Amino acid sequence: MAFSQQGTGELIEPDFRKAEVTKILETTYPMIFGREVEFQRLEVEIENGTITDNVFNDYTPVKVGDTVFIGRGYNPETDSEGFFVREVERISSIFYIFIFFAIVYLAIAGKKGLRSLIALSISIAAVWFVLIPSIAQGADPLF
């Protein structure tokens, strides 16, 4: 997936990588806009096995073992270029919330609830595996 740089029409490939936090090298608490913010310098292992220690995190506090998505960036405060945490992987949390929802839904709605969850699953699969790919290939989504 490529993005267009504003005003130039030039396509830019996003430089995001999935990585696992292996060590927290430093934690500081600078004041930003009058609020104390937790700022971490991390050592991470990128998917291809490369280990880098020039990763900065001012997004949300992480711990060793967390999976994060990092991207290249520039820190004007330290006048350095490196990687920054862009997002923390939340797939497992979302999965547990969905399982909890399904259990509560089935407890309340019974057999009708099971049938409606099956219908919902089929609808989501149709959108994800049929509609979205056909739109991506240029098909008209309404016909």
Side-chain angles (χ1 to χ4, degrees):
M1 175 183 287
F3 297 94
S4 176
Q5 186 172 357
Q6 186 174 1
T8 66
E10 178 184 344
L11 293 180
I12 300 172
E13 289 292 327
D15 190 20
F16 294 104
R17 297 182 176 132
K18 188 175 182 178
E20 183 176 337
V21 177
T22 56
K23 188 188 290 185
I24 298 173
L25 301 172
E26 176 183 17
T27 301
T28 58
Y29 298 91
M31 295 293 284
I32 298 176
F33 298 116
R35 295 186 61 205
E36 190 176 79
V37 177
E38 185 171 342
F39 186 83
Q40 297 173 313
R41 192 165 69 88
L42 309 171
E43 179 180 278
V44 300
E45 182 175 351
I46 302 174
E47 282 185 322
N48 64 6
T50 306
I51 296 178
T52 182
D53 61 356
N54 199 21
V55 178
F56 303 99
N57 177 26
D58 60 355
Y59 178 70
T60 186
V62 296
K63 58 187 183 303
V64 174
D66 284 352
T67 301
V68 295
F69 294 95
I70 59 174
R72 285 202 179 275
Y74 175 75
N75 185 353
E77 292 177 5
T78 61
D79 194 34
S80 63
E81 193 172 303
F83 289 98
F84 288 83
V85 173
R86 301 292 185 210
E87 187 66 55
V88 178
E89 185 176 57
R90 296 183 171 95
I91 295 297
S92 60
S93 300
I94 292 171
F95 177 73
Y96 292 131
I97 290 171
F98 173 75
I99 294 298
F100 175 75
F101 163 76
I103 290 170
V104 170
Y105 190 75
L106 290 174
I108 294 172
K111 287 182 182 179
K112 286 184 181 181
L114 178 62
R115 287 193 306 245
S116 69
L117 282 178
I118 291 171
L120 177 64
S121 300
I122 292 170
S123 298
I124 290 172
V127 168
W128 190 259
F129 295 111
V130 177
L131 184 64
I132 292 175
S134 64
I135 291 172
Q137 292 176 352
D140 188 354
L142 298 178
F143 297 106

